[in-house]
Amino acid sequence: MPTATIVEVGPRDGLQNEKQIVPTPQKLELIRLLRAAGFTRLEVTAFVSPKWVPQMGDHETVLRGTAPSEGLIRSVLVPNERGALLALAIGVEELAVFTSASETFAKKNINCSIAESLQRFRPVASLAARHGVRLRGYVSCSVECPYEGQIAPEAALHVALALADLGCGEISLADTIGRARSEQVNALMRIATSALPTEKLACHFHDTHGHALDNVDAALVNGIRIFDSAVAGLGGCPYAPGAAGNLSTISLATFLEKAGYSTGLNSARLKCVEDFARQLVA
Ligand code: HMG
Ligand code: MG
């Protein structure tokens, strides 16, 4: 059976937008249950400014509390060298930098232009290479932006190529506000896969308008096999008005398995972590 990889982003993208900050022990229990469900790719927290995203202010404790284990890739979001240094001092398998295909969104989310963000990522990329850890790059608003509207696929590709040049081994193209339609995703995937190897690309869909699974389908047709999702469909971005939950992991896993892809996840344990995640934010 062919395989598809799910990158679980619930502990980070899922919890960063919750009004009530989820207590650290509950976050660690969520991560423990996710590991038990069989995830090998887990985005556990974000080493961002606690002034900007207080929900991730316990990043050091969360990463310290998530022990390494064989086959597990613990990833953390980092906006700059400072975040990378803090995470590497604890130990991590992947750093994920994030910028945008929209200038306005970059400014609102990380307080700099796209070009400046790429400059900021240079020392992060050097650190990742020096420490032998993976480097992932996100392109937010790769299809639609809450401030600028529709984004040209060429603009998203331009940023994806810049991230690849920087050394990102995987680039996640994100529909940050869940407004993309499958025709738009298809157009983006067509040009992205003509310029970059499919195994370097991932898709990150939010499900605000219920289009996420159609968009997964469009990406699958174009050869994408890595998808981000959040348990119980938690989440959203505090700087993207209208960004509701991420694509729910159970919906994604069920969809992929029906489409003939193995995800390696244990469905009973996934249900159990889903129930736990729901009551965390109830
Ligand atoms: P800034 O205010 O321009 O920069 O923020 P600064 O250097 O002046 O830093 C401000 C304060 O933060 C300072 O503290 C720094 O020390 C501290 P003060 O001196 O005032 O006490 N600081 C840090 N603290 C901890 N860790 C760090 C760090 N860096 C600075 N790494 C900055 C610029 C990038 C830091 C800020 O804008 C920021 O942290 N933004 C993050 C926003 C964010 O996390 N958004 C949500 C995640 S992105 C997302 O959800 C999209 C995604 O899911 C894909 C998709 O769906 O599109 C990935
Ligand atoms: Mg997101």
Side-chain angles (χ1 to χ4, degrees):
M1 201 181 201
T3 58
T5 301
I6 298 184
V7 180
E8 170 60 45
V9 297
R12 192 278 304 173
D13 203 353
L15 302 182
Q16 72 183 10
N17 202 32
E18 282 305 310
K19 276 182 209 71
Q20 301 276 0
I21 297 184
V22 173
T24 312
Q26 309 253 54
K27 290 183 180 176
L28 291 174
E29 178 61 5
L30 177 67
I31 292 168
R32 191 187 69 75
L33 292 170
L34 287 166
R35 294 172 72 159
F39 289 95
T40 54
R41 304 276 312 265
L42 264 180
E43 198 173 73
V44 294
T45 186
F47 280 73
V48 296
S49 163
K51 288 197 175 139
W52 282 67
V53 185
Q55 292 89 338
M56 297 285 111
D58 58 356
H59 43 234
E60 295 199 46
T61 318
V62 169
L63 183 56
R64 267 203 197 91
T66 308
S69 65
E70 184 68 31
L72 174 68
I73 297 171
R74 298 167 301 162
S75 187
V76 297
L77 210 63
V78 295
N80 52 23
E81 183 177 20
R82 172 162 174 194
L85 284 167
L86 288 168
L88 288 167
I90 296 169
V92 74
E93 287 69 55
E94 183 177 84
L95 300 174
V97 290
F98 56 109
T99 185
S100 168
S102 147
E103 284 292 354
T104 315
F105 184 72
K107 183 74 192 154
K108 300 255 184 204
N109 195 41
I110 47 176
N111 204 23
C112 64
S113 68
I114 299 168
E116 284 163 346
S117 71
L118 295 166
Q119 282 305 322
R120 271 186 199 171
F121 300 158
R122 289 197 176 281
V124 178
S126 305
L127 281 167
R130 193 163 350 121
H131 286 255
V133 308
R134 296 162 58 105
L135 186 66
R136 179 176 226 237
Y138 281 101
V139 184
S140 290
C141 298
S142 64
V143 189
E144 292 274 350
C145 168
Y147 308 102
E148 294 185 10
Q150 207 166 322
I151 299 292
E154 293 75 15
L157 176 63
H158 179 75
V159 179
L161 289 173
L163 288 170
D165 279 351
L166 213 66
C168 291
E170 187 174 292
I171 292 143
S172 183
L173 297 167
D175 175 27
T176 310
I177 54 171
R179 206 195 276 156
R181 303 306 305 248
S182 56
E183 311 79 65
Q184 295 171 283
V185 171
N186 189 39
L188 174 59
M189 292 309 132
R190 283 228 303 274
I191 71 161
T193 55
S194 67
L196 286 161
T198 47
E199 54 292 356
K200 272 197 159 202
L201 293 167
C203 283
H204 178 111
F205 295 119
H206 286 249
D207 206 17
T208 320
H209 300 289
H211 308 153
L213 288 177
D214 287 346
N215 294 340
V216 169
D217 202 28
L220 275 174
V221 167
N222 282 281
I224 307 301
R225 298 291 180 268
I226 307 170
F227 297 95
D228 304 350
S229 64
V231 64
L234 297 173
C237 174
Y239 297 99
N246 288 266
L247 169 57
S248 136
T249 301
I250 280 201
S251 306
L252 174 63
T254 308
F255 182 86
L256 289 172
E257 299 215 345
K258 277 199 184 133
Y261 296 91
S262 154
T263 62
L265 298 175
N266 177 310
S267 47
R269 289 186 178 172
L270 196 51
K271 176 78 184 64
C272 165
V273 62
E274 171 106 357
D275 292 343
F276 178 79
R278 276 190 203 293
Q279 60 82 26
L280 267 190
V281 296

